[in-house]
Amino acid sequence: MASSIPASVSPTTADRQPEESIERQPSLLRILLDRLLHHPQVRLGLLLSGVLGVLALLAPMLPIESPTVMFDGQLLKAPSPEFWFGTDLQGRDLFSRVIWGGRAALGVGALAVGLGVAIGVPSGIIGGYFGGIVDIVINRILDTVLAFPPILVGIAVAAALGPGLSNAAIAVGVVSLPVFSRLARACVLAEREKEYVTASRAIGASDWRIMFRTILPNTLVPL
């Protein structure tokens, strides 16, 4: 009886196969990056943002004029080899002002959008997936933010936190929360009844895995 069992098959090896296949699954970050970089618009946006970001970081070392220097007789000049973007009403080099301004603008924009995405997208996904009382509570909180003009909410948040670029970025991020949350919720409502979500439920995937490993990658394009 014992000799009829193939020696090459062992319970230990068979038990390890599912675990190894699970370990080989790509991470959520890898899935998100693959989906994002698949679109030409995203690649172009990342390229332009990356170039501007590098120039902004290297602004002190670039051979450009100070953004505050005013050149006499050079008001509102058209782009030229001397002034690549021309000059403004006070004779300041617009190219230099764009590069130096990017140091602040990119940081504020990244913080504001990051805050909106980090809080708005998960709240929209959770509300859209579970529905019921969870969805109602999340939407009532967002309705409270939407009930006031965005500029008023931003001023209130900035006044509560104090002056500064970081606090201004947080204020902008708070104003953008409902936008990201509502969009994520709409995407989840359209995706949660599709066959691939039903298949994930059938094989025993948890709700959190379905939301953030199955549905989220398919909502990246509109987000």
Side-chain angles (χ1 to χ4, degrees):
M1 294 291 291
S3 61
S4 63
I5 300 177
S8 59
V9 177
S10 65
T12 305
T13 304
D15 292 340
R16 280 201 303 265
Q17 289 178 351
E19 297 178 0
E20 293 175 355
S21 63
I22 292 175
E23 293 175 356
R24 287 195 296 268
Q25 291 182 353
S27 64
L28 177 59
L29 180 60
R30 176 68 179 274
I31 295 174
L32 297 180
L33 289 177
D34 288 344
R35 293 294 179 90
L36 284 175
L37 297 178
H38 178 72
H39 298 279
Q41 299 91 335
V42 174
R43 292 199 295 267
L44 177 60
L46 289 175
L47 175 62
L48 295 176
S49 300
V51 171
L52 183 57
V54 170
L55 291 176
L57 290 175
L58 299 178
M61 295 178 285
L62 295 177
I64 57 178
E65 298 291 343
S66 170
T68 59
V69 172
M70 294 179 285
F71 296 91
D72 294 334
Q74 302 291 337
L75 309 183
L76 294 177
K77 288 293 183 178
S80 64
E82 184 180 2
F83 303 107
W84 288 6
F85 289 179
T87 60
D88 62 6
L89 283 168
Q90 298 177 345
R92 296 173 296 188
D93 184 5
L94 286 178
F95 179 74
S96 176
R97 294 182 67 78
V98 168
I99 299 302
W100 281 93
R103 295 171 64 89
L106 288 176
V108 171
L111 180 57
V113 174
L115 179 62
V117 170
I119 300 178
V121 172
S123 65
I125 291 176
I126 293 171
Y129 182 83
F130 288 109
I133 187 64
V134 175
D135 192 27
I136 292 174
V137 171
I138 292 176
N139 277 298
R140 294 298 79 79
I141 295 174
L142 297 177
D143 288 342
T144 303
V145 178
L146 291 173
F148 300 94
I151 186 65
L152 184 59
V153 176
I155 291 174
V157 173
L161 298 177
L165 284 178
S166 299
N167 293 336
I170 294 174
V172 176
V174 170
V175 172
S176 67
L177 286 179
V179 178
F180 287 104
S181 184
R182 292 292 173 85
L183 184 56
R185 177 179 179 273
C187 294
V188 172
L189 291 176
E191 296 289 331
R192 68 179 183 180
E193 302 302 331
K194 292 186 176 180
E195 289 79 2
Y196 71 92
V197 178
T198 304
S200 297
R201 293 195 188 100
I203 63 175
S206 65
D207 290 331
W208 296 101
R209 184 179 182 83
I210 293 174
M211 285 188 290
F212 296 102
R213 289 296 299 271
T214 304
I215 296 179
L216 177 59
N218 292 287
T219 63
L220 290 180
V221 174
L223 286 173

